[in-house]
Amino acid sequence: MQRMSGTSVVEGVLIDWVLTQPESQPQLPVSWLDAEDVAAELERIQRNRARDTAREADLVLRLADLRPDVEDPPPGSPGTRSRTWRRTDPEFPGVSEFFPDEVAHAMNVGRGTAAFRVRRAWTWRENLPVTFEALRHGEIDERRAGVLAEALQHTSPDLARAVEETVLPGARDLSLAALRREALARLAELDATAIEERHEQAKRAADVRRYDCGDGMVALATDLPADEAAACYDVIDQLAAMAKADGDPRPIGQIRSAIHSMLILRPADSGLPGVTVNLAVSATLEGLEGVSTCGGEVNGFPITAAHLRDLLRRLGALGLQKPDGGSLTVAMSDADGRLLATVTAAELARLAEAGCPEHPADACECPLLGVPEPTDRYEPTTALQRFVSTRDRRCRQPNCGQRSGWADHDHVVPHAQGGRTTCTNLCCLCRSHHRLKTFARGWTFRMDADGTLHVTSPSGITRTTRPPGLRPPDPAPPDPAPPPDDPPPF
């Protein structure tokens, strides 16, 4: 453990002592407890969880104090953050724009989750100090304190505290939905413009999101004004009811889901221009042939080998044929999943036909494919781009899932500092994390030859990401047992 230092020797010793104390252990086995004991223990856990949440918020705010914006790119300079990016990101006066990334790295969560917790902590401190103090003492649970923060984060501190004074005393006896309604109703009584500002903030943060539900299913969610959402659902529901009345045997929910997909993918006479659906499919030959249960991926979401085979049939690519308007890349890996080469179907056919120019086809073991050659230029060649995108598939920053189609090919060791344009020095980073690596102070990136990326934050925490297909190394063998003590000399 890295030693923390206080403002004096005594504080430093105290910090070290606190951080090295063992965690508390449960006092009694659960099987020994009766119903009253269980209920009391559950209540105690909720109080402790509230205290831990407050402690987490205090730590996040302390880190914000330690990360001023003095080294961020100033307005008008290269790399300045565009105000059209990430409208949902928190912005705090005097705090570095890269601060939420460091919180995400420390907590090992995604940037969106970290930004949410940062914004919540900031709201508790600035707008809801009494709620924050109650959370520290376990007098209000995390969820209700969070509802108040979410409802009052966009208003002024004075208004938020006026609502808090009225709503907080009875918050524990209200459901989460009722507490939210009461807080917003009280806010509307005090200042109707605050509700409108909150609505405008939500509209600016609107997006379409995907959530992995498991079992090869993904939820597609759209943020819409309430009236538009109601109208859209009503159209889907009516069309599903008509299909059901016409004899569709599927459950009504499944029909609604199919209608929703059909309306998006088949706009009919909407007048919208045609688009090409872009799906990045990764699979093993064994899985496609049905001789293995090993699955693959579609745009980052895991699906089974059966789903992949069905998808390829629908795309007209069952024989690994290039779909119309699409492309097919063949990737070859070793037994550990390390990517060895990538090639298009046309290039593969030409190589197979030409063979080795020096040996007969039936007696040649010369490699015809391998890692793309490096280039002296800054921009990677098409072969390098294809190799790196196939290897990484998504942004390589820990806990970022942005797919590689929206990512930059970044030099791990900057090209201006002697870094070569080669597959062992290129990785996929989304634009946000590319800027982080380029402009945020104190971050270090290091990549191994197999594509494993090690990212260390300014606070000294290192996270590692591996290419999706690369298998983790075998665990190190245990240390040999020490030799027995020598017998006494008598």
Side-chain angles (χ1 to χ4, degrees):
M1 178 179 294
Q2 183 179 1
R3 184 184 186 278
M4 296 180 61
S5 58
T7 57
S8 67
V9 174
V10 174
E11 287 186 8
V13 172
L14 179 60
I15 289 172
D16 283 347
W17 179 82
V18 169
L19 291 179
T20 55
Q21 294 306 297
E23 297 181 4
S24 60
Q25 299 296 325
Q27 295 182 351
L28 292 173
V30 172
S31 60
W32 293 9
L33 305 180
D34 59 21
E36 292 183 0
D37 294 332
V38 168
E41 181 78 3
L42 289 173
E43 190 176 30
R44 183 186 66 80
I45 288 173
Q46 300 312 307
R47 289 195 301 270
N48 287 341
R49 184 171 292 159
R51 297 185 183 106
D52 287 342
T53 299
R55 176 69 172 177
E56 177 188 282
D58 279 326
L59 292 170
V60 166
L61 294 170
R62 173 57 179 160
L63 188 58
D65 294 338
L66 296 171
R67 294 292 179 258
D69 61 358
V70 293
E71 294 185 332
D72 286 359
S77 66
T80 300
R81 177 186 181 185
S82 170
R83 293 301 160 189
T84 63
W85 297 348
R86 288 187 174 274
R87 293 185 181 272
T88 58
D89 275 5
E91 295 183 5
F92 310 116
V95 181
S96 172
E97 65 168 286
F98 303 109
F99 160 65
D101 294 284
E102 188 169 0
V103 174
H105 203 74
M107 300 176 70
N108 204 18
V109 297
R111 195 183 195 280
T113 300
F116 163 78
R117 296 189 185 182
V118 170
R119 188 184 300 110
R120 185 178 66 173
W122 194 273
T123 302
W124 283 334
R125 185 177 73 179
E126 302 298 318
N127 290 12
L128 301 168
V130 181
T131 300
F132 202 7
E133 192 63 22
L135 193 68
R136 290 191 182 98
H137 291 87
E139 296 169 357
I140 186 173
D141 60 271
E142 175 189 359
R143 293 173 300 167
R144 285 170 174 80
V147 165
L148 290 177
E150 190 271 336
L152 302 172
Q153 63 181 324
H154 297 304
T155 190
S156 68
D158 290 341
L159 277 174
R161 293 174 188 183
V163 174
E164 178 186 54
E165 182 179 1
T166 302
V167 174
L168 183 60
R172 293 185 59 181
D173 298 324
L174 295 175
S175 69
L176 300 180
L179 178 60
R180 182 178 183 276
R181 286 195 301 270
E182 183 164 337
L184 292 177
R186 181 58 179 158
L187 181 61
E189 292 175 6
L190 296 174
D191 187 359
T193 60
I195 295 293
E196 184 60 28
E197 172 62 19
R198 190 178 180 281
H199 179 64
E200 290 301 318
Q201 291 275 0
K203 286 172 61 176
R204 287 194 291 270
D207 201 350
V208 177
R209 300 173 177 86
R210 305 171 301 171
Y211 303 97
D212 186 4
C213 301
D215 299 323
M217 301 296 289
V218 174
L220 184 67
T222 305
D223 301 320
L224 292 171
D227 56 335
E228 290 185 30
C232 291
Y233 182 85
D234 190 55
V235 169
I236 293 172
D237 189 50
Q238 289 188 51
L239 291 174
M242 292 169 59
K244 190 72 172 176
D246 287 341
D248 193 322
R250 296 174 295 176
I252 189 68
Q254 187 177 357
I255 300 175
R256 289 193 195 101
S257 178
I259 293 291
H260 189 193
S261 174
M262 181 189 69
L263 290 174
I264 294 174
L265 296 178
R266 301 177 183 226
D269 297 327
S270 65
L272 296 173
V275 296
T276 300
V277 177
N278 180 21
L279 294 178
V281 180
S282 172
T284 62
L285 285 175
E286 291 79 4
L288 294 175
E289 292 167 349
V291 298
S292 169
T293 58
C294 180
E297 292 186 342
V298 175
N299 278 11
F301 293 108
I303 62 173
T304 66
H307 293 158
L308 281 172
R309 290 194 294 272
D310 180 64
L311 175 64
L312 290 174
R313 278 193 295 269
R314 290 164 57 193
L315 293 175
L318 182 59
L320 294 181
Q321 300 171 5
K322 182 173 73 67
D324 293 339
S327 62
L328 177 65
T329 298
V330 179
M332 280 143 280
S333 304
D334 62 17
D336 294 325
R338 178 177 177 175
L339 186 62
L340 302 177
T342 57
V343 64
T344 66
E347 291 170 340
L348 184 63
R350 287 196 297 269
L351 285 170
E353 182 179 359
C356 174
E358 300 181 2
H359 304 93
D362 57 353
C364 179
E365 298 182 357
C366 296
L368 299 179
L369 282 174
V371 175
E373 293 293 329
T375 178
D376 294 331
R377 300 180 302 166
Y378 173 77
E379 290 291 335
T381 63
T382 300
L384 282 169
Q385 293 183 28
R386 183 175 62 208
F387 185 94
V388 173
S389 296
T390 303
R391 181 196 65 196
D392 291 350
R393 305 184 198 173
R394 56 184 63 90
C395 173
R396 294 294 307 283
Q397 176 77 9
N399 293 298
C400 182
Q402 184 65 268
R403 59 190 178 91
S404 61
W406 289 88
D408 299 331
H409 294 98
D410 175 66
H411 291 74
V412 179
V413 178
H415 190 265
Q417 299 176 15
R420 303 187 67 197
T421 306
T422 174
C423 60
T424 56
N425 191 45
L426 291 170
C427 72
C428 289
L429 289 180
C430 68
R431 183 59 53 86
S432 175
H433 289 122
H434 194 173
R435 291 186 66 254
L436 169 80
K437 177 179 177 294
T438 304
F439 298 107
R441 300 294 183 264
W443 290 80
T444 60
F445 288 67
R446 179 176 60 84
M447 193 166 74
D448 299 337
D450 62 3
T452 300
L453 185 68
H454 310 275
V455 181
T456 303
S457 69
S459 47
I461 295 177
T462 299
R463 305 283 182 199
T464 299
T465 64
R466 303 173 65 80
L470 186 64
R471 295 176 179 84
D474 294 331
D479 295 333
D485 294 337
D486 294 335
F490 52 82

